[in-house]
Amino acid sequence: MEARKERMLSEHLAARGIRDAAVMKAMREVPREAFLPSGMELFAYDDGPLPIAEGQTISQPYIVAYMVEALELLGGERVLEIGTGSGYAAAVLSRCAAQVYTVERIPFLAAGARARLEVLGYDNVTVHLGDGTLGWEEHAPYDAIVVTAGAPEVPRELLDQLAPLGRLVIPVGPTQHLQELVRVRRTREGKIRQEQLCPVRFVPLIGEHGW
Ligand code: SAM
């Protein structure tokens, strides 16, 4: 398993441009196999997404690293993740930020991720069951927000919950399965700046301000 993980780090992440040392350290530390359905552990460090349950997926390791790097975390941030899924990306985020709040709409996945994160000791992650297109007002504002499902547009509520100088990384696209990853920044004056990062393919963001 360790050799497979080292190959992932060098061939799938470093060779494709992941440079943030904290992100690389987190990708080395978090055991992706612990977030997979049993029987799939052998595929944990392959270069692709994998099915979890309820028709959902755990994202490709490279995409997880790319999205976390795109958030430009320094370690002291409060981060909101929409789309907990297995809890893997939340665990990676928890190594790169101070506090992680993560929202999942499917009860079975939220419960599984909560239990897994607790057993593994990721005690700066809080899992919430709900519609993440509404954000999680209770703990706002967030220094960084990451959405791990594809949205038709950037949900207004997420922009409202982004702190000044905050970054929001989200797949946005005109169809449910093809998107462009975009990064939105809130300036010190509160203005919104958006940049396109790369084409991606995520499961759809389902909810009041999603599909
Ligand atoms: N980050 C996850 C991981 O590390 O395993 C992978 C996430 S998977 C690609 C996308 C997740 O977004 C699914 O678990 C799906 O149920 C969830 N999702 C879709 N719409 C949502 C919404 N409105 N609020 C919260 N979660 C949502």
Side-chain angles (χ1 to χ4, degrees), residues 1 33 36-45 49-52:
M1 196 64 82
E33 62 275 21
L36 293 175
S38 68
M40 298 192 71
E41 294 84 352
L42 204 58
F43 307 111
Y45 298 104
L50 290 166
I52 41 174

Side-chain angles (χ1 to χ4, degrees), residues 52 56-59 64 81-90 103-106 109 130-133 148-149 202-208:
I52 41 174
Q56 304 303 319
T57 53
I58 179 173
S59 304
V64 173
E81 180 198 28
I82 307 302
T84 314
S86 67
Y88 174 68
V103 182
E104 172 57 54
R105 64 178 280 273
I106 299 179
L109 295 180
D131 177 2
T133 68
T148 64
F202 275 87
V203 294
L205 182 74
I206 310 282
E208 196 172 323

Side-chain angles (χ1 to χ4, degrees), residues 57-174:
T57 53
I58 179 173
S59 304
Q60 177 189 12
Y62 169 70
I63 285 292
V64 173
Y66 184 89
M67 290 174 89
V68 177
E69 186 172 73
L71 293 174
E72 300 176 344
L73 301 172
L74 296 176
E77 296 85 354
R78 293 152 46 78
V79 179
L80 175 68
E81 180 198 28
I82 307 302
T84 314
S86 67
Y88 174 68
V92 172
L93 285 164
S94 81
R95 305 296 85 191
C96 302
Q99 201 65 45
V100 178
Y101 300 94
T102 179
V103 182
E104 172 57 54
R105 64 178 280 273
I106 299 179
F108 177 78
L109 295 180
R114 189 179 291 122
R116 218 169 278 128
L117 289 160
E118 195 182 318
V119 167
L120 293 167
Y122 295 105
D123 53 13
N124 60 339
V125 181
T126 312
V127 179
H128 175 62
L129 176 65
D131 177 2
T133 68
L134 303 172
W136 191 359
E137 180 74 53
E138 190 183 341
H139 302 287
Y142 303 96
D143 303 302
I145 302 177
V146 61
V147 181
T148 64
E153 57 190 26
V154 181
R156 182 78 241 169
E157 278 68 10
L158 298 186
L159 292 177
D160 291 345
Q161 292 175 26
L162 194 60
L165 300 181
R167 288 81 59 200
L168 161 63
V169 171
I170 178 171
V172 179

